[in-house]
Amino acid sequence: MTEYEHYEAVVVGAGPGGAAAAAALAKQGIETLVLERGADAGAKNVSGGLIYAEEWAPYTIDDLFPGFREAAAERPVEEYYIHNIAGENVKTFDLDRIHHRGTEWCDAVLRRRMDSWLAERVHEMTRETGGGLLTDVRVNGLLREGGTIVGVTCDELDPIEADVVIAADGVNSELARDAGLMDWDDPDDWFQGVKAVVDMEPEVIDERFDVRPETGSAHLFSGDLFDGVRGGGFLYTNEDSLSIGTVFHLDSLADERAEPHELLDSLLTHPLLDQWLQGEYEEREYAAKLVPDSKRVAHPSPHRGRLLLVGDAAGQMQAQGPIIKGMNHAVTAGGLAAEAVAEAQTRGNVRAAGALYEQKLEDEGVMKRLRPRRYRATRFVSESRPVNRLGRTLVNSRLGAAGLKLFDGLLERSFNSPFVLGMIPDTKMTYVTIPERVGEVLGDPVDGESRVEPPELDDRIGDLTYDVDDPHIEVLDDSFEASGTAVTACPVSAEGFGGGCYREETVQTNGEAERKVSLDTQPCVECGTCAVVADTHWEHPSGGKGVQFEQG
Amino acid sequence: MVAIDPTEHEISELGPEVNGIDDAAELREMLSLEASGEDRAPVKTLIESRIETLEAGGEDDPESVDLTELTIADIANMVRDIDDGDLLRDILEREREGKERKGAISQIESRIESVEGSDDDGTELEYEPPEKKYPDLDHPTADKQYVEGVSGESYRDMWVYCETQQGRLIDVSKEMLGRARELMDAYNADNAVADDTASYGGDEGGNTEEVVAVLIGDDVAGLAEEAIAYGADRVVYHDDDRLARFRHKPYTELFCHMCRDWSQEWRDYHEPRYNIFPATNNGRDLSALVQGELDSGLASDCSDLYIGAAMISNPAKTGKPGDSVEFERVLHMPRPDFSGFEYSTILCIDKPFRDFHPQGASVIPGTFEVPEPGDREGEVVEHDIDLPEDWFQVEVVDHDQLEDGVDLTGHEVVVAMGRGIDRVDPTEGIELGLELTDQFEDAGFGLSRGVITASYEFGSHVEGYITEERQIGESGQVVEPDLYIAAGISGAVQHKVGMDESDTIVAINTDPEADIRGFSDYFIEGDLFEVLPRFIEALEEGTFERAIAEVSSD
Ligand SMILES: Cc1cc2nc3c(=O)[nH]c(=O)nc-3n(C[C@H](O)[C@H](O)[C@H](O)COP(=O)(O)OP(=O)(O)OC[C@H]3O[C@@H](n4cnc5c(N)ncnc54)[C@H](O)[C@@H]3O)c2cc1C
Ligand SMILES: Cc1cc2nc3c(=O)[nH]c(=O)nc-3n(C[C@H](O)[C@H](O)[C@H](O)COP(=O)(O)OP(=O)(O)OC[C@H]3O[C@@H](n4cnc5c(N)ncnc54)[C@H](O)[C@@H]3O)c2cc1C
Ligand code: SF4
C-alpha cells in the first residue's frame, strides 16, 4: 500500500460540470476533494454566456445551488433573435419559440463571477464531508497501480488516491486524453469560440436594447460577414456589459486561414451593431476557447475504470445550430455522475459507477440530445458535396429566391424547430449560403454605420493579466506545413504579427530558405486550438499560472 | 553651509549621517534642500525627527532648568546625558528644595553613582554558576566548557575568513582585508591616525596585533601572497582536495582549530579578538557555525566596522547595578534593520565570569572598497593536521556553475534589437547591433522577447547573445539608460515597460505606424540594415548628436 492521501471522490475542475458533481456528491455525504488549476475558479473559463435550465433535465444549476440566479447570473434572456446578414442587408427572425420551448429559464453569465461563486458553495459543502476545494492545483495525469486508475497526480501536490475520479476538466481534458478516451487530432470535432466583453452602463443597455432593468436579450448573427467561414456570432446582455463573440467550426477556420480576431471585428464593426454600440466601444476583455461538437465527439461511454468524464471533457457540448448548450449539459452530467457514484457505493461496488453513469445519460435523454440519431442519419447526405452544390444552385436561382420569399414565414418557423435545427448539417450552405440568401432576398438594408474601432490584437493581449511560467506547449514539428495553421488559427496570433504566440519565420539553412514557425507561450489564452491544428505537445500551465480572465 | 546635500544621497546612506549632526540650523537647511530637490517623504521625516530630538534636548539646560516643570521621566532622560558629578549634585539639591519627588531623587542619585562609582566598592561580586542560581531551569550548555567560566583569557588579532571561488579570492575577501588593515593599523598606532576608529598602541601590553587571513580549500596556498598584498600580516591556509567545495563540517572544524585549539608559537592566545566573515551564502553559514562553536556572538550582514570605547550601564555586563563601565577595544558592528533605513550598532561585550570573544561579524559584500594591492611582507603558515574521515560524511555529489547573469542596468547606453533583424538576415542584424554597442564607452546589448523566442538560426559567433538574460521588458530587465536605441522593435507594451524611463529613446523602424514611435524621442523611419551601418560610421567619426543629425537628415 502506498501512503498517499485518499478521498472517496476527487473531482478535477471547478466549472459547471465539476461544481455540480461535487455538490451532488457532497449532498450524498461522499467525501469529495475538488481540484481546480485556476488561481480562482473561473479565472480560466470562457463561455458565450447563456446558461439554460431545461424542463427535461434531472439536474439544473439552481436545483443544486439555490440562489444561483440572483447571486451569480447576469440578466435573464427574454428576447431571442437571429439576424441573417448579406452585406448591408439584414433579415431578422424571432427565435422566441425555440428559445422558450422546454426552457424553464435562461440567464446570461460571466464565468469568473459565476464559477467563483459556485466554488465558494462547493467548498462549504465538500468541507462538511471531509474534503474541500483547492485552487492553484493542476492535475497532470492519472495515478495508476498495475494499469488500474487509482487517483490523480498533480504539479503542486503529492499524488492523491480516490475511489472515483470525476474529470470535469473541460475541453482539452488532459485526463480524458490520458485515459485514451479522447484525442485532439481532428479539427472537424471542434468549434473555436472567441469573445469580447464590452463595457456598457446598465441604463444604457435598458435603453438601447429596449429591455427592462432586470431582463435582457440575445442576438445571433449569421450570413456573409465571416468571409465564408462556417459559424456565427452572438451578442448577449449582461448587467453592465455585453458579451459579443463568434463560434466557428475549427476545420473551416483552419482551411480558410481565417484570423479569429478579424472575424470578431467584422461582427463588431457591422453596421447592424451600431444601434447598440453607437460608436462607443470599451473592451473589457478578449478571450477564446475551443468547444467540442457533441454530434461528433460526445463519448457514448465516457468512463474507464474509476474515471468518469463530465461536461466538455466528455464532449457533451451541444450546438443546436447557432444555439450553444454546454454548461447545462455539464451540470446535468455532473449530477448524474454523482448519483451513479452514490448508487455504486451503496451497492458496495464503486467500480460500477461508470456503467451506471452511462446508463443514466441514456435513460435521462442526455445522449439523444447530444448525438441525435437524426443527425447521424442526415449527416452523410447533407455533408456530401453534390447535395451542397445542389442547395447552392437552388437558393441562387430565381426559383430559389421566389421560394424563399414565399416561405418567409415557414422559414422563420423552421429555424424555430428543434427537429430542423438538430438536423442542420454543418456545411457552408446552412451557415452562410442560406442566411446570406435570406438576408439578400428578404432583408432590408440597415441604416446604421459602424463607428467603432475594436482594439488591435497587441492591445488586447496587453490588457490581459498573465502570470507567466515556463512554456506549457511545445512545438514538435516547427515546419510551416506541420504547424503553420496555428499562425492564423490561434486567436492571439496573426500573419505578420510579431507579438503573437505563433509567428511565421523564414530561416536560411545552408543557403535554403525554409518556412518555419516559432512559439512564445506568454500571450497564450489557453484556448486549445494549437493542440488540434498544429503538431504540438500540449498541456495546461501549472496551477495559477498563465492567463487569468477577469470576466470569462 | 551644509556638510551633506541630502538630495545627492540614498535614503539608506542618510540614516547614520543625519543622526550624527548636532546643529539644528544645518538640519533645517538640509530639509529645505530636500524639499526643493528630491522631496522624499522618508528623508524629510528623518531630518525632522532629528531636529525634534535636538531641540527637545536643547530646551532644558540642566544648569538652569526649572525642575518643577519637568516630569520624572524628563529628569531621568536629562541626567542620563550628564557626566559631571558636581552638576548632578546641584540638580539633586534643586530637586530636594523643589518638589522633592522620590523617583526623581533616586534617578539622580543613581546617575551620580554610575558616573563616580559607588562607595561600597569593597564588596566583590561572587561567581555563582547558573545551575546553582536557578536550579529549576534547564541548563543545556552546562557541560560546554567555554560557555561559563572562561574569563580573563587573552585575545588578540583580527581574523578574516577569505572566501574563494574558482581558485580566486572573491572581491569581498579583498574588501575585508583592506578594512581589517585600516582598523588594525589604527589600533596599533599610539595616537589617533584615523577619525573613524580608535588607537591603542597595540594590545594591553603594547605589542602590535595582526590581521590574520584564513584560506581553506583545495590548492589555495597560491592565494596567500595575494591576501598579504591586500592587507594580511599572516595567512593560515589548509589545502585538501576534499575541501574543493564549501562544506559545513570540515570548514567549521578547521577554522575553529586554527584559531582556538592549534598551539603555535605566534598564536599564544586563547582565541582571536575579532573574527570577520563575508556575508555571502557560504560566509553566512560559516560565520554562524564558527561563532557558535566558539561560544561567542555574531552580528550578521554588517555595513561598517570600527573599533572604539563603549560606555555600558547594563548591570548584566557591568556586574554592578547603577554603574557605567567603559569597555575598550570594542568592535562596533552597525547593520541595517530590515527596512534598510534604520541602523543598529551591535556590540559583543564580556560579562562577569564570562568572556564573549571573538567579537564576530559578517560583512555585506561591497561595503568597503577593494583596496589597491600593496607591496607588503607577511608570514604564510600551513595548517597541516590530518582531517578525520567523519568530517566528510556529507558528500557533494553534484554542483553546477550558474551562468554569469547579464546585467543591462546601469549602462549609459543600451542598444536593443527586435524582430526587424529578420528582414535581411538575423545573424547580420545581431552583428550590426553588437558593432553599434561597441561604439559607446559604456553600453549594454539587449533584445526584445520577439527575437529570443524566434526560430532564427544564428551564426555560432552571435548565438551566445540570444538568451533570455538579455530580454528587456515586463518579463525581462527594466533599464533606464541615458540613451536607448531600439532597432526593429515594434514597441509592444510589455517591451515598453522595460525601457520607457530611458532619457533619450531612438527608434529605427521601417513602419512609420509602429507603436514605438509614440514614445521615442527620435524616430528614424528606415531599414536597420541601412541605418545602423551609417550610424556606426558617423559615431566612429564623431558624437552621437552628429550621428543622429546625419542619419535623420533624410
Ligand atoms: C465562446 C463560447 C461560447 C459559449 N457559449 C455557451 C453558451 O452560451 N451556453 C452554454 O451552455 N455553453 C456555452 N459554451 C460552452 C461552455 O462554456 C462549456 O460547454 C462549459 O463551460 C463546459 O463546462 P465544464 O464544466 O465541462 O468545463 P469548463 O467550464 O471548461 O471547466 C473545466 C474546469 O476544469 C479546470 N481544469 C482543466 N484542466 C485541469 C487540470 N488539469 N487540473 C485542474 N483543473 C483543471 C479548468 O480550469 C476549469 O475550471 C461556450 C463556449 C465558448 C468558448
Ligand atoms: C505576458 C507577456 C510578457 C511579455 N514580456 C516581454 C518582455 O519582457 N520583453 C519583450 O520585449 N517582449 C515581451 N513580450 C512580447 C511582446 O508582446 C512582443 O511580442 C515583443 O516585444 C515583440 O518583439 P519585436 O518588437 O522585436 O517584434 P515585432 O513586434 O514583430 O516588431 C518588429 C518590428 O520591426 C520592424 N522592422 C521590420 N523589418 C525592419 C527593418 N529591416 N528595419 C527596421 N525595422 C524593421 C517592424 O516594422 C516591426 O515594428 C511579452 C508578451 C506577453 C504576452
Ligand atoms: S498558443 Fe495555442 S492554446 Fe494558446 S492561444 Fe494560441 S492556439 Fe490557443
Side-chain angles (χ1 to χ4, degrees), chain A residues 458 461-462 464-468 496-501 503 520-524, chain B residues 417-424 447-453 456 470-477 484 486-498 507-516 523-531:
Chain A
D458 58 346
I461 294 170
L464 286 168
T465 309
Y466 295 95
D467 184 350
V468 290
F497 172 48
C501 291
R503 294 143 318 178
D520 179 8
T521 52
Q522 292 205 337
C524 174
Chain B
M417 308 297 290
R419 291 172 60 84
I421 56 170
D422 72 359
R423 181 72 63 94
V424 173
L447 297 168
S448 77
R449 182 167 177 84
V451 172
I452 296 159
T453 55
Y456 308 147
R470 296 193 181 270
Q471 179 176 323
I472 289 166
E474 182 186 311
S475 44
Q477 300 188 45
Y484 189 88
I489 292 179
S490 61
V493 60
Q494 300 90 348
H495 186 81
K496 180 181 176 204
V497 297
I508 300 147
N509 200 303
T510 43
D511 175 9
E513 309 266 291
D515 286 347
I516 199 164
F523 184 84
I524 301 163
E525 185 184 335
D527 181 345
L528 69 91
F529 290 93
E530 287 164 21
V531 175

Side-chain angles (χ1 to χ4, degrees), chain A residues 473 490-492 501-502 524-530 538:
Chain A
I473 307 170
C490 168
V492 288
C501 291
Y502 286 89
C524 174
V525 293
E526 299 158 32
C527 73
T529 299
C530 64
W538 199 99

Side-chain angles (χ1 to χ4, degrees), chain A residues 139 261 288 306 332 396 469:
Chain A
V139 171
H261 68 287
R306 300 178 188 194
T332 303
N396 281 333
D469 200 18

Side-chain angles (χ1 to χ4, degrees), chain B residues 367-438:
Chain B
T367 296
F368 305 113
E369 302 271 300
V370 176
E372 283 300 317
D375 197 5
R376 306 182 64 259
E377 306 262 301
E379 295 282 325
V380 179
V381 192
E382 179 172 16
H383 176 265
D384 60 351
I385 63 164
D386 286 336
L387 309 185
E389 252 330 294
D390 70 349
W391 287 4
F392 295 94
Q393 285 174 5
V394 174
E395 210 180 320
V396 181
V397 291
D398 198 10
H399 55 83
D400 202 358
Q401 175 72 35
L402 294 184
E403 301 252 325
D404 270 356
V406 177
D407 188 0
L408 297 175
T409 61
H411 289 292
E412 280 167 24
V413 181
V414 171
V415 175
M417 308 297 290
R419 291 172 60 84
I421 56 170
D422 72 359
R423 181 72 63 94
V424 173
D425 169 36
T427 300
E428 207 179 310
I430 296 294
E431 283 169 355
L432 280 172
L434 289 169
E435 211 178 317
L436 178 58
T437 310
D438 282 346

Side-chain angles (χ1 to χ4, degrees), chain A residues 210-547:
Chain A
D210 194 18
V211 290
R212 282 172 290 121
E214 298 308 316
T215 67
S217 60
H219 298 263
L220 299 178
F221 307 92
S222 59
D224 73 349
L225 73 175
F226 299 123
D227 302 334
V229 184
R230 281 184 285 127
F234 60 82
L235 182 160
Y236 307 136
T237 52
N238 302 317
E239 270 171 17
D240 60 357
S241 62
L242 307 178
S243 289
I244 308 182
T246 51
V247 177
F248 295 104
H249 280 275
L250 187 56
D251 54 327
S252 172
L253 196 74
D255 293 347
E256 304 286 338
R257 295 207 56 88
E259 300 279 7
H261 68 287
E262 286 176 3
L263 298 181
L264 176 66
D265 291 346
S266 350
L267 172 60
L268 291 170
T269 56
H270 194 277
L272 178 60
L273 270 69
D274 184 60
Q275 56 184 308
W276 302 305
L277 297 176
Q278 303 194 359
E280 292 163 21
Y281 187 83
E282 188 64 45
E283 193 169 293
R284 278 195 204 164
E285 183 171 276
Y286 174 78
K289 175 104 30 223
L290 283 196
V291 187
D293 182 355
S294 69
K295 293 194 287 300
R296 296 177 57 95
V297 293
H299 204 289
S301 186
H303 56 94
R304 170 147 306 170
R306 300 178 188 194
L307 173 74
L308 280 62
L309 307 182
V310 155
D312 277 7
Q316 296 160 343
M317 200 335 286
Q318 178 192 13
Q320 227 178 348
I323 299 173
I324 293 176
K325 295 182 175 172
M327 292 184 278
N328 59 316
H329 288 303
V331 168
T332 303
L336 293 176
E339 216 176 77
V341 172
E343 267 179 52
Q345 208 186 42
T346 329
R347 291 189 207 170
N349 178 14
V350 282
R351 297 216 48 192
L356 274 170
Y357 169 54
E358 180 179 338
Q359 191 61 47
K360 284 173 190 293
L361 288 173
E362 202 62 52
D363 294 350
E364 296 288 349
V366 180
M367 254 351 248
K368 74 165 193 254
R369 288 179 167 84
L370 295 175
R371 295 194 88 148
R373 234 162 253 126
R374 292 189 301 281
Y375 178 77
R376 284 176 234 171
T378 53
R379 183 169 152 196
F380 173 72
V381 195
S382 50
E383 287 200 346
S384 73
R385 258 154 225 260
V387 177
N388 238 334
R389 215 173 299 134
L390 195 70
R392 187 166 311 156
T393 9
L394 185 75
V395 285
N396 281 333
S397 71
R398 270 191 35 217
L399 184 71
L404 277 177
K405 274 197 177 130
L406 200 58
F407 290 110
D408 186 356
L410 187 67
L411 248 162
E412 181 157 4
R413 220 171 311 143
S414 65
F415 264 97
N416 273 298
S417 150
F419 183 77
V420 175
L421 281 180
M423 260 187 355
I424 281 186
D426 290 323
T427 65
K428 197 162 171 172
M429 191 170 96
T430 37
Y431 275 108
V432 185
T433 321
I434 294 182
E436 185 184 342
R437 278 299 278 172
V438 170
E440 203 172 279
V441 177
L442 302 174
D444 301 316
V446 271
D447 32 284
E449 192 186 322
S450 175
R451 289 163 290 165
V452 306
E453 256 184 59
E456 303 280 333
L457 199 45
D458 58 346
D459 294 328
R460 284 177 160 150
I461 294 170
D463 286 342
L464 286 168
T465 309
Y466 295 95
D467 184 350
V468 290
D469 200 18
D470 293 338
H472 56 104
I473 307 170
E474 190 193 338
V475 179
L476 299 177
D477 182 344
D478 69 354
S479 70
F480 190 82
E481 299 73 60
S483 301
T485 309
V487 176
T488 47
C490 168
V492 288
S493 303
E495 250 166 34
F497 172 48
C501 291
Y502 286 89
R503 294 143 318 178
E504 182 188 344
E505 280 151 11
T506 305
V507 176
Q508 302 286 337
T509 4
N510 310 328
E512 296 244 337
E514 209 186 323
R515 276 176 102 190
K516 281 198 173 180
V517 293
S518 64
L519 166 67
D520 179 8
T521 52
Q522 292 205 337
C524 174
V525 293
E526 299 158 32
C527 73
T529 299
C530 64
V532 181
V533 304
D535 189 357
T536 56
H537 177 71
W538 199 99
E539 290 185 352
H540 289 103
S542 289
K545 298 295 178 189
V547 71

Side-chain angles (χ1 to χ4, degrees), chain A residues 70-114:
Chain A
E70 297 72 35
E74 303 288 319
R75 296 177 186 240
V77 173
E78 307 229 316
E79 295 166 14
Y80 210 140
Y81 303 97
I82 186 162
H83 307 276
N84 297 279
I85 299 175
E88 308 261 293
N89 273 23
V90 177
K91 174 67 187 175
T92 302
F93 290 148
D94 190 342
L95 292 185
D96 205 49
R97 282 208 3 247
I98 177 86
H99 175 66
H100 282 110
R101 189 189 176 108
T103 302
E104 232 174 86
W105 54 264
C106 167
D107 291 352
V109 290
L110 290 170
R111 290 296 296 277
R112 179 71 182 254
R113 177 176 173 208
M114 162 175 145

